[in-house]
Amino acid sequence: KAGVTQTPRYLIKTRGQQVTLSCSPISGHRSVSWYQQTPGQGLQFLFEYFSETQRNKGNFPGRFSGRQFSNSRSEMNVSTLELGDSALYLCASSNDRVTDTQYFGPGTRLTVL
Amino acid sequence: GNSVTQMEGPVTLSEEAFLTINCTYTATGYPSLFWYVQYPGEGLQLLLKATKADDKGSNKGFEATYRKETTSFHLEKGSVQVSDSAVYFCALIGLQGFQKLVFGTGTRLLVSP
């Protein structure tokens, strides 16, 4: 099976702009989660989608949003970018059980100038 | 809330040395426990997992045992290789956490020839 894919891999934006990141899960996986990784805060959970519904959300401002499509592909959007949004954004997919493994994509490296 | 604490790095070892990376957790009930590894420039890869007390996860020579009495999930390997150099993350999913992984801060392992 193909793994989790994320596009684009690298992105450079300026403050105030908005950005959309895309994630295609492993075929058959219906749960998609997003995480932010920074040197200072480590790995933090953003949100999780299952069957086009957001089931869980981390402690991030409303500028961070996401959605999931009927084919389980997911996008996340960050509006009004700030310097502190520079990070590696990781997407993970899994089956629905809590004990199931989350498989991660390679990430999108976002740099905000 | 749920949390994971793992030892500070970097851990510097010579090839063929014994490795231990300590991980303890705080959670209600019986969370599922995971070790992920991140190589430079890549996303996270699952190394091993355990879903109930006394379970031992193992993969590629790495092992970790779910110890409920000490709330620990220490990672061990009998003989490390240079190729094991990476950052290792301990993580958990709580019973009510859907697919929300809670990560430790990560431990960088450096193995020299």
Side-chain angles (χ1 to χ4, degrees):
Chain A
K1 277 186 180 179
V4 177
T5 58
Q6 292 187 245
T7 56
R9 290 294 309 277
Y10 302 91
L11 209 47
I12 299 176
K13 293 286 186 179
T14 57
R15 280 181 299 175
Q17 288 187 308
Q18 75 166 19
V19 67
T20 299
L21 313 181
S22 180
C23 171
S24 292
I26 291 171
S27 177
H29 285 183
R30 295 165 65 192
S31 172
V32 174
S33 301
W34 289 88
Y35 296 84
Q36 181 196 63
Q37 185 177 24
T38 60
Q41 299 299 316
L43 280 154
Q44 294 186 284
F45 173 80
L46 279 156
F47 28 64
E48 185 245 350
Y49 287 87
F50 179 81
S51 292
E52 303 177 64
T53 300
Q54 186 183 90
R55 290 200 300 190
N56 212 345
K57 188 179 191 310
N59 294 325
F60 280 82
R63 299 185 297 107
F64 292 82
S65 63
R67 59 178 176 169
Q68 186 180 34
F69 302 94
S70 58
N71 62 358
S72 294
R73 191 177 69 84
S74 177
E75 290 181 346
M76 68 163 282
N77 184 77
V78 187
S79 62
T80 319
L81 284 166
E82 300 177 359
L83 295 179
D85 297 333
S86 294
L88 180 67
Y89 289 89
L90 293 164
C91 163
S93 76
S94 70
N95 289 310
D96 190 36
R97 293 175 303 174
V98 167
T99 55
D100 287 330
T101 298
Q102 289 189 39
Y103 295 90
F104 284 79
T108 294
R109 172 74 62 184
L110 172 65
T111 302
V112 182
L113 302 176
Chain B
N2 297 336
S3 65
V4 175
T5 302
Q6 59 182 109
M7 61 190 291
E8 294 276 338
V11 173
T12 305
L13 296 172
S14 298
E15 206 165 26
E16 299 184 4
F18 184 84
L19 168 71
T20 299
I21 300 178
N22 290 337
C23 171
T24 57
Y25 67 89
T26 300
T28 54
Y30 289 82
S32 293
L33 302 174
F34 304 82
W35 276 101
Y36 281 87
V37 59
Q38 186 175 37
Y39 298 98
E42 299 185 10
L44 300 175
Q45 297 177 26
L46 177 73
L47 187 56
L48 51 85
K49 72 177 185 181
T51 59
K52 60 182 186 295
D54 300 324
D55 265 2
K56 177 185 281 188
S58 61
N59 185 28
K60 300 180 182 179
F62 291 90
E63 293 184 340
T65 301
Y66 189 140
R67 302 288 188 198
K68 179 65 176 175
E69 63 277 12
T70 54
T71 61
S72 64
F73 193 53
H74 305 320
L75 182 68
E76 296 181 335
K77 186 176 185 182
S79 176
V80 293
Q81 306 299 312
V82 172
S83 57
D84 293 327
S85 297
V87 180
Y88 293 81
F89 293 92
C90 184
L92 68 80
I93 289 182
L95 291 178
Q96 306 302 324
F98 292 106
Q99 299 299 325
K100 176 183 176 181
L101 278 164
V102 175
F103 287 93
T105 53
T107 302
R108 182 175 299 279
L109 171 64
L110 301 171
V111 181
S112 56

